[in-house]
Structure formats: structure tokens, C-alpha cells
Amino acid sequence: DGGITQSPKYLFRKEGQNVTLSCEQNLNHDAMYWYRQDPGQGLRLIYYSQIVNDFQKGDIAEGYSVSREKKESFPLTVTSAQKNPTAFYLCASSTSGRATGELFFGEGSRLTVL
Amino acid sequence: QKEVEQDPGPLSVPEGAIVSLNCTYSNSAFQYFMWYRQYSRKGPELLMYTYSSGNKEDGRFTAQVDKSSKYISLFIRDSQPSDSATYLCAMSTNAGKSTFGDGTTLTVKP
């Protein structure tokens, strides 16, 4: 079945540590996105990538980094510079050429900083 | 001020009720309008997608867009307990990036 796989589902981190969240898709989508969701709030865009080896900052990129070395993979690193990293992180993808905003989401990764 | 404002809820209705979920927006460049459903601790899933002003129906769900008023709605007829979830409106321009509302949590009681 085609879809988006995020791992790990739950992650605990000590303050000052970097952590990397994995996102893999087999939908053959060109565009991939990372969103952050806090309780009672909508999704805020962290980074997005329209093609391999290229990515752009979203609305809240500070303290995060990404790479896009393969079409299928778009890992997100939450660095120690992110002041409030505890949140629910969602990876999404969409087809290129259709700038309609229709997104397919993974199941999410919940990061807790201890 | 946020570009997209969504009625905050939470909303609690009896089974069989008609539910109305609403969003307003300020950016005239938004052309695509989506509703996503998100169950607890899960990723959102696309429920409805519309492009132009007017209504779009899919089973018990109707999405309504009024571009002149910058207002969109999602109606759920004959609501079921399985409809209990958070509903997120989202909008995008031709650039493809989506802007989301904060979500409305709906509980349908048997």
C-alpha cells in the first residue's frame, strides 16, 4: 500500500540534544513537507521541498534542519537551538504540478523534551 | 491577525444532528479550499477539496465556499459517533503551500 511512514512514533529527548525524525513516502510524490502541531492549534509549516536536493524554509524554520537527498525521504532534525521542541510533528507529501495544496499525511511523531 | 480563522469549538452534538463547521479568511489569493479530518493522535486525512465558490457534496458531507465573503463551511448530515474528530480547514494559493485553521473538535454522542 502506498503511503507515508514516519518514525519513531514517540520520542523523548533531553534538553540540548539533537534528534532526527524520519519520513519516507512511496507515493512517488515530488513535494514533501514538515508541519508542527501544538495542542489546540493548527499546523504550522517548518520546511518544504518541491524537488530533490532543494528545500525552502516555512513559517517556523528556526531551530530545525532538513535534507532531501532522495525523492522518497525527507528527514527533519530538531536541533538544540529549538527553544520549545515538544510537539506533534507531521510529514506530508503532494504531487508536483498540481499546486492545489492537497496533502497526504503520515501518522506523526510525538516529541517530548524532558 | 491570522490569515485563516476557524470557529474554535469544541462542539458536542447528539447522533443524527446536522453539524456546521466554519472558517473565514483574509487572503484573496486563496484559490483552493480543503477540509481535513484528524482523529486523536493521528495524521490528518483529506476529507473534501473545492476550488471555486459553490457547494460540493460527498455522501453526508457538503463543502461550501463563498469567495465574496471569504467564508467556507463544512456540513455533516446525520452525524455519527465515528465523525468525532478534529476538523481542520486549509487553504492554498497557486504556490501550493497550505495555511491551516486551528481546528474544531467535534464530539457526536450516541
Side-chain angles (χ1 to χ4, degrees):
Chain A
D1 289 329
I4 299 177
T5 301
Q6 289 187 239
S7 63
K9 196 172 178 73
Y10 298 95
L11 186 60
F12 297 89
R13 187 194 92 175
K14 292 182 180 179
E15 281 192 24
Q17 288 181 334
N18 292 354
V19 63
T20 297
L21 307 180
S22 170
C23 178
E24 302 278 333
Q25 56 101 356
N26 60 4
L27 298 167
N28 200 33
H29 286 172
D30 286 305
M32 296 187 75
Y33 308 80
W34 274 104
Y35 285 90
R36 169 181 171 140
Q37 187 175 33
D38 293 285
Q41 296 189 31
L43 279 61
R44 292 184 290 168
L45 183 63
I46 304 173
Y47 268 98
Y48 64 104
S49 168
Q50 302 282 17
I51 56 172
V52 175
N53 292 322
D54 188 43
F55 49 83
Q56 287 77 41
K57 292 182 178 180
D59 301 317
I60 56 165
E62 186 176 350
Y64 300 97
S65 66
V66 293
S67 64
R68 186 86 187 278
E69 297 176 1
K70 298 187 300 182
K71 186 176 181 178
E72 302 79 18
S73 179
F74 191 41
L76 173 74
T77 297
V78 184
T79 75
S80 57
Q82 169 50 232
K83 298 303 179 188
N84 185 21
T86 295
F88 189 47
Y89 291 89
L90 288 158
C91 179
S93 70
S94 67
T95 56
S96 67
R98 295 191 66 200
T100 62
E102 294 177 73
L103 298 169
F104 295 81
F105 285 90
E107 292 286 89
S109 293
R110 188 168 299 277
L111 172 63
T112 302
V113 174
L114 304 174
Chain B
Q1 186 178 357
K2 293 182 179 179
E3 280 189 301
V4 178
E5 297 278 359
Q6 184 166 359
D7 286 354
L11 205 54
S12 181
V13 301
E15 184 175 353
I18 297 174
V19 176
S20 172
L21 304 168
N22 308 293
C23 290
T24 58
Y25 62 96
S26 57
N27 187 349
S28 299
F30 286 140
Q31 295 191 39
Y32 306 95
F33 305 90
M34 285 73 66
W35 285 96
Y36 290 85
R37 178 175 61 195
Q38 185 178 24
Y39 291 114
S40 183
R41 300 187 181 86
K42 300 289 187 182
E45 57 178 334
L46 183 66
L47 194 59
M48 297 285 283
Y49 156 76
T50 55
Y51 171 67
S52 58
S53 284
N55 293 351
K56 181 177 181 180
E57 192 172 316
D58 184 1
R60 296 183 295 108
F61 299 89
T62 300
Q64 189 175 80
V65 174
D66 182 349
K67 285 188 175 181
S68 62
S69 300
K70 297 188 178 67
Y71 189 90
I72 71 169
S73 297
L74 177 70
F75 298 97
I76 307 174
R77 291 185 300 280
D78 188 26
S79 56
Q80 303 295 309
S82 59
D83 295 328
S84 297
T86 295
Y87 291 81
L88 298 156
C89 65
M91 308 173 190
S92 67
T93 66
N94 277 328
K97 288 195 305 175
S98 292
T99 301
F100 286 80
D102 286 346
T104 301
T105 298
L106 170 67
T107 301
V108 181
K109 296 183 176 181

